[in-house]
Every structure is written in structure tokens, then in C-alpha cells.
Amino acid sequence: MESPAAPTVPRPAAPTAARPELPITTTAPVKRERRWSVAALCVVLAAVAGLGAAAAVTSASDRTKVLAVARDVPAGQALTAADLVVAEVSADAALTPVPAGRKTSLVGKRAAVDLRKGGLLTTTQLSTGTGLGDDKQQVGVQVKRGQAPAGTLAPGDQVLAVTTPAQAEQAGAAEAPPSTISAVVVTVSRPDASGNVVVNLAVAGNKGPLLATRAAQGRIALVREPRGQ
């Protein structure tokens, strides 16, 4: 006779080890967001660079070649090719410089005012003649320091060319009235190391030879007439 089977006893369940909770990470989305930011920045920089290049091209196309003064030119002096230089400036309706293409046609024209080195040349600064006695004889007179008003003579001034007495005449007892010639100042040079200047004078009639003779003898002093006349 078979003995009854022993009852099956359930085995105790093995204790389940607690699994640590893994933190939720956002690493991948952050990387993707940074990539999009870098790409957007590159697009913006490229756009800015393109706009800058376009502006540079536009600015360069708006520049025009004009004439500028290469060196100081006193009023009344005729222009030479060396007095003018080509410059590039931005187009501006407020400026009216002479186009560079007219350089050849301006050689020989006279400055109506003093032209300073580096300034833009305009048509109002020029004249076909000096306007200071072009129909008269002109004489260059070297004037020593003290024989003309210091630093006050300017083109257009009315002056008296006074003949100073010769050395033999200075010993005379009686002083005769001085001989004078009316003239107009055309140009005035810069003083040399001794303070002497050369003044170009325009005189009427046939006074040119007489004035030139006295100027060669160093016997001319200049008296400026009042400018209000």
C-alpha cells in the first residue's frame, strides 16, 4: 500500500531587489537645441556679411572722380596741370566739385580766390582772367621788408607805387614830392628768408616800363589805398 504523497509546500519567494530609479535626462534635446542655435547664428552672420558687402559695393559705385588742389595757388595765378590732382569722393548733391574729365580744359584758367592744397576745386573758384586788370600792363615788383604793409596786401588792392629817392638825391636839402604810379595788386608771393615779397602789379597806359625801371633799381615802395574806395 502506497503511502500518501507529502503535501507540496510552496517555496518562499525570493526577495526582489529594489531597483534604483534612473534619473530622467534631457541631454539629447539640449544638444539638438544647441545645434539649432549655432546654425541660426551662422545664418545671421552670413546675412550680415552679405549686407556689408552689398553696402560696400553700393558705396564704391556712388563714388565719383573729381579735381582737387594739389598745392597752394594764389588768387590771380594761372593753373597748371601740376596744380590739380584727381580725387574720389562720395556723390553728394551738396557738393559741386569739377569732374576729373575737365582737367585739361582748366589748365590756363586763373584762380579767382586763393586755392589751398587738399581742397576740392569748384567752378566758382576760377575765372577766365584775373579780373584784376587783364587789359593792363603787369609788372613784377620785388618789395623789401618795410617797403609795403606787412601781410596786408591781397589781390584786388589798390596801391600807389611810390618812387623812393636815389642815394644821390637823399643828400639834397629840398625834398621834392614823390612820384607815384597807381596800380592794382594781382598776386603776392610768400616772403622769402629775408622777408622780401614779389608783388605783381597791373598799371594803366604806358606806365609799365617806367615802373619796371624803378623796380629794377629797388626804388619802389607800396602804399595801400583804403579798401572802402
Side-chain angles (χ1 to χ4, degrees), residues 10-164:
R11 294 180 179 179
T16 303
R19 294 182 180 179
E21 295 184 359
L22 296 177
I24 299 177
T25 177
T26 56
T27 302
V30 169
K31 289 184 178 179
R32 287 195 295 270
E33 182 179 349
R34 288 178 179 175
R35 292 195 188 101
W36 279 109
S37 300
V38 172
L41 179 60
C42 292
V43 172
V44 172
L45 292 177
V48 172
L51 292 176
V57 172
T58 303
S59 177
S61 63
D62 288 343
R63 298 180 71 83
T64 181
K65 293 184 177 181
V66 297
L67 292 178
V69 182
R71 56 189 179 186
D72 291 348
V73 179
Q77 180 172 307
L79 291 176
T80 66
D83 295 327
L84 303 176
V85 67
V86 176
E88 289 189 0
V89 297
S90 298
D92 191 335
L95 301 177
T96 57
V98 179
R102 294 185 55 192
K103 180 177 180 179
T104 303
S105 64
L106 295 184
V107 174
K109 291 187 178 296
R110 296 184 181 273
V113 296
D114 288 339
L115 303 179
R116 299 302 180 189
K117 179 180 178 181
L120 296 180
L121 186 68
T122 63
T123 54
T124 58
Q125 297 173 321
L126 303 176
S127 62
T128 54
T130 64
L132 306 173
D134 288 328
D135 57 342
K136 300 178 181 180
Q137 296 178 336
Q138 294 192 24
V139 180
V141 178
Q142 185 180 41
V143 182
K144 297 180 180 180
R145 180 181 296 176
Q147 292 181 331
T152 62
L153 290 181
D157 282 343
Q158 301 282 338
V159 296
L160 292 177
V162 181
T163 303
T164 58

